Amino acid sequence: MTHVLSAVAWPYANGPRHIGHVAGFGVPSDVFSRYMRMAGHDVLMVSGSDEHGTPILIAADEAGLTPQELADRNHRIIAEDLASLGCTYDLYTRTTTRNHHAVVQELFLGVYENGYFVEQTTHGAISPSTGRTLPDRYIEGTCPICGYDGARGDQCDNCGNQLDPADLKNPRSKINGETPEFIETQHFFLDLPALADALKEWLDEREATGLWRPNVIRFSQNILKEIRPRAMTRDIDWGIAVPLDGWRENPTKKLYVWFDAVIGYLSASIEWARRSGDPEAWRQWWNDPEALSYYFMGKDNITFHSQIWPAELLAYSGKGSLGGTPRQYGELNLPTEVVSSEFLTMEGRKFSSSKKVVIYVRDLLSRYQADAFRYFVASAGPESQDSDFTWSEFVRRTNDELVAGWGNLVNRTANLIAKNFGEIPPAGPLTAEDEAVLAVAENAFGVVGDLIARHRQKQAVGEAMRAVAEVNKYVSDTEPWKIKDDPERLGTVLHVVAQCVADLNIVLAPFLPFAANEVDRAFGGAGDIAPMPRIDEVDDLDGGAPYPIITGDYATAVTWERHPIKVGTPVAKPTPIFTKLDPKIVDEELARLA
């Protein structure tokens, strides 16, 4: 057993999340975490709502709410959506907890005391019309390095280089198009050059494993070439206070939202441990060098997970060129792998809430099965290249693959057993054909499990469905519905198929957890092989306001191996596992978008 940290990107709480977001971090992280638990690893899956920063202030103003009221509302919506999607967080929390604030301030002090913060005078961008600080990402202009016109104030997505808003040519506000004013201001900068050698050594070691996706490791190494200090404080009144005399008391100086958000992986682990009754339990995932950690996100966040967060960890642990010693949290583990997905578009267009080019998670789940969407993401999502969600492809994959493939195998097997025996029949002598199809199903455990562990989920679900097709072929070839005068042979065929269904149901459970429980019930099981998350209302551990979290007891997850079916288990006539979609919904959904 290995301790495995599944660190999932923190959804930003300025509004509900759309399907493009969860395609990048939500479904892939849950498939991986479910599998790793089934394979016997001790998994800690953590995340939460990212609730600080200027965009929250802007959205709150538009909604006529305080920032905390907006964060409260959106945190609940996001948590409910992720739970409805079946995401098995051990803890999904938020960044406005007092626990998170304390952990962030501890990390700041560790980095500061080790000498990896430098105080500098810089130019901050101010909105002339409101007097409010403009965040880097809300400023666009022409990149001074490659000339790309859509560069943001924090980085250029075209060449990948980090930028400052003042570097941009022809800068403009994304909020209202006005030209920002730049004023002198004092900030703490993370001394990335003093950490560059340690970052390079870590990335080179990660590259040598051959496990990282090539685009992620290349991008991560490229941004080291232009490394420079980066501001980790902001002129803003909504965020976490800088824990130093003279700064703590300043209501308009706060820690950069990205400095605090990535620390959420650690603070959520600590909160989980405190709620578990063993406050030091988090150390098994963070201080043990044998523990593994996987970070799931979209490609626009690679910089923060392969440079900023590792730099913070190295600086706190005193592992840069300036040396140093860690404080109370000890030496903290660097990421084992940054698992970044590409972008999901919709009907050929980029998702945009403001332009109404969007499908919110809640809206999709109100009309369609969660597993249908999970299957689409696993089989056609943006794993290693951008992909496009279209309603026609969603309908096709649901009907042709889930319903006609896996659903058909499950339903006709259960129907034949219910009609002829009413229970799982015993198996007589096995033919070579029987042995071969049983081997196909059992071999899927090794093949599919290995692919999920290496974050090749598209290939993994393809192999699982290939095995489903082989078993369907076996049923068609043996034609059990035509076996009238040999009950022993009929029982053997149906026993073999039922065992294959049980095997493949476990293999598909990380992808299709809701269906896995339905299939288990259809064949006489308790329907708890794929545990589900729940939402609990909890009090802030340190005296703040109550809030909802996602958590769950996932100990009942079935183990990743063949479980022999039990002869005599009652099997009743089943109902369809998956809902077949009317092709007319394509036009209906496109009309909604229009």
Side-chain angles (χ1 to χ4, degrees):
M1 181 183 71
T2 302
H3 286 90
V4 175
L5 177 71
S6 188
V8 189
W10 289 57
Y12 198 54
N14 62 332
R17 297 299 87 187
H18 57 63
I19 64 171
H21 294 128
V22 296
F25 70 82
V27 175
S29 62
D30 188 60
V31 170
F32 175 79
S33 299
R34 285 180 178 274
Y35 163 71
M36 295 300 275
R37 290 190 189 104
M38 295 166 74
H41 300 291
D42 199 344
V43 174
L44 180 60
M45 180 175 171
V46 293
S47 185
S49 298
D50 178 5
E51 299 176 329
H52 294 129
T54 302
I56 295 289
L57 292 173
I58 295 169
D61 284 348
E62 292 174 351
L65 301 170
T66 67
Q68 188 65 63
E69 288 171 339
L70 180 85
D72 289 345
R73 184 181 73 183
N74 289 331
H75 169 68
R76 184 174 296 276
I77 291 172
I78 295 168
E80 289 174 351
D81 288 352
L82 292 172
S84 296
L85 196 57
C87 296
T88 51
Y89 294 97
D90 292 281
L91 180 67
Y92 181 89
T93 181
R94 61 195 307 191
T95 59
T96 50
T97 68
R98 294 186 179 181
N99 172 78
H100 178 71
H101 281 228
V103 174
V104 169
Q105 291 176 330
E106 164 63 20
L107 261 289
F108 178 92
L109 289 172
V111 175
Y112 176 80
E113 290 176 4
N114 282 337
Y116 294 97
F117 274 128
V118 291
E119 192 174 346
Q120 293 182 359
T121 300
T122 185
H123 289 89
I126 301 293
S127 166
S129 60
T130 67
R132 177 175 285 165
T133 301
L134 284 171
D136 297 348
R137 288 193 165 204
Y138 274 63
I139 303 171
E140 283 186 342
T142 302
C143 176
I145 298 171
C146 71
Y148 175 63
D149 186 47
R152 298 194 309 264
D154 58 348
Q155 74 177 45
C156 175
D157 287 337
N158 186 57
C159 66
N161 283 291
Q162 296 179 43
L163 301 172
D164 286 325
D167 296 334
L168 294 173
K169 298 177 181 177
N170 303 314
R172 56 193 177 273
S173 167
K174 288 179 65 177
I175 300 170
N176 56 19
E178 66 186 0
T179 301
E181 294 179 359
F182 292 96
I183 62 170
E184 285 194 348
T185 183
Q186 290 290 111
H187 284 298
F188 279 109
F189 282 68
L190 182 60
D191 191 356
L192 289 170
L195 297 156
D197 289 344
L199 284 169
K200 183 179 185 305
E201 181 181 348
W202 167 67
L203 284 171
D204 288 348
E205 185 268 328
R206 293 292 84 209
E207 182 184 31
T209 67
L211 297 176
W212 282 37
R213 291 172 180 170
N215 58 317
V216 179
I217 196 69
R218 283 197 301 268
F219 181 89
S220 303
Q221 291 171 324
N222 284 339
I223 58 178
L224 276 177
K225 298 174 183 176
E226 300 292 332
I227 200 166
R228 57 182 174 173
R230 186 156 184 169
M232 290 292 135
T233 52
R234 288 292 187 271
D235 293 301
I236 185 175
D237 57 6
W238 175 245
I240 299 175
V242 181
L244 295 173
D245 291 341
W247 287 75
R248 183 186 289 105
E249 299 78 17
N250 190 332
T252 64
K253 292 285 186 183
K254 303 294 183 183
L255 293 171
Y256 178 31
V257 64
W258 266 109
F259 178 81
D260 97 69
V262 289
I263 296 172
Y265 302 117
L266 176 61
S267 71
S269 302
I270 292 173
E271 181 183 342
W272 167 83
R274 294 177 66 190
R275 293 190 183 280
S276 75
D278 180 1
E280 298 298 304
W282 63 272
R283 293 186 183 275
Q284 298 172 89
W285 286 269
W286 286 92
N287 293 150
D288 180 358
E290 298 300 315
L292 304 174
S293 56
Y294 299 89
Y295 290 74
F296 296 85
M297 77 221 60
K299 66 179 178 181
D300 53 333
N301 290 338
I302 295 175
T303 297
F304 298 100
H305 292 83
S306 68
Q307 184 177 98
I308 302 301
W309 178 226
E312 291 177 28
L313 292 168
L314 288 164
Y316 183 85
S317 299
K319 295 295 184 180
S321 63
L322 304 177
T325 55
R327 283 170 49 105
Q328 61 178 296
Y329 294 152
E331 187 171 329
L332 300 167
N333 290 339
L334 294 172
T336 301
E337 184 172 353
V338 173
V339 187
S340 170
S341 298
E342 300 295 295
F343 289 147
L344 184 72
T345 55
M346 186 183 68
E347 300 290 349
R349 293 180 289 173
K350 184 178 179 180
F351 278 96
S352 171
S353 298
S354 61
K355 297 178 182 177
K356 308 302 181 186
V357 183
V358 67
I359 308 168
Y360 291 112
V361 174
R362 175 157 299 195
D363 292 338
L364 183 132
L365 296 183
S366 71
R367 299 193 289 274
Y368 307 103
Q369 292 174 297
D371 279 351
F373 176 68
R374 289 174 66 106
Y375 179 77
F376 181 92
V377 173
S379 60
E383 181 178 285
S384 55
Q385 61 184 27
D386 292 351
S387 64
D388 192 38
F389 178 92
T390 66
W391 284 109
S392 60
E393 184 67 359
F394 177 69
V395 170
R396 186 195 71 77
R397 286 189 179 271
T398 299
N399 290 348
D400 295 356
E401 297 175 17
L402 280 184
V403 176
W406 179 228
N408 178 54
L409 175 61
V410 169
N411 285 321
R412 67 175 174 173
T413 302
N415 266 318
L416 285 165
I417 292 175
K419 177 182 178 181
N420 291 283
F421 298 96
E423 61 184 32
I424 299 292
L430 299 180
T431 66
E433 192 177 17
D434 301 336
E435 298 278 11
V437 76
L438 284 168
V440 166
E442 189 167 23
N443 290 341
F445 286 105
V447 174
V448 174
D450 177 66
L451 289 167
I452 296 176
R454 294 188 291 117
H455 310 291
R456 309 297 194 267
Q457 294 185 11
K458 188 176 293 188
Q459 191 177 348
V461 78
E463 287 293 327
M465 294 302 285
R466 184 189 66 77
V468 167
E470 288 289 321
V471 180
N472 265 322
K473 182 179 184 301
Y474 168 84
V475 176
S476 298
D477 290 346
T478 55
E479 299 181 313
W481 51 88
K482 291 185 178 181
I483 303 174
K484 304 297 184 183
D485 55 357
D486 190 348
E488 182 183 58
R489 180 58 189 159
L490 175 60
T492 299
V493 169
L494 294 180
H495 183 100
V496 167
V497 179
Q499 182 64 66
C500 291
V501 168
D503 291 345
L504 296 178
N505 191 41
I506 294 173
V507 168
L508 284 165
F511 304 100
L512 310 172
F514 297 93
N517 290 335
E518 290 297 319
V519 172
D520 187 58
R521 278 189 281 269
F523 286 85
D528 59 0
I529 69 171
M532 289 297 167
R534 68 176 189 270
I535 291 182
D536 289 350
E537 298 288 331
V538 299
D539 291 327
D540 190 301
L541 291 168
D542 300 305
Y547 56 95
I549 62 170
I550 305 176
T551 188
D553 179 4
Y554 310 121
T556 62
V558 67
T559 54
W560 190 260
E561 61 189 340
R562 168 168 285 171
H563 291 254
I565 55 176
K566 296 178 181 179
V567 173
T569 302
V571 177
K573 182 180 173 67
T575 56
I577 301 297
F578 300 108
T579 301
K580 187 173 182 178
L581 302 179
D582 189 327
K584 289 190 296 185
I585 73 158
V586 175
D587 291 336
E588 294 170 1
E589 293 293 352
L590 290 176
R592 280 193 178 96
L593 287 176

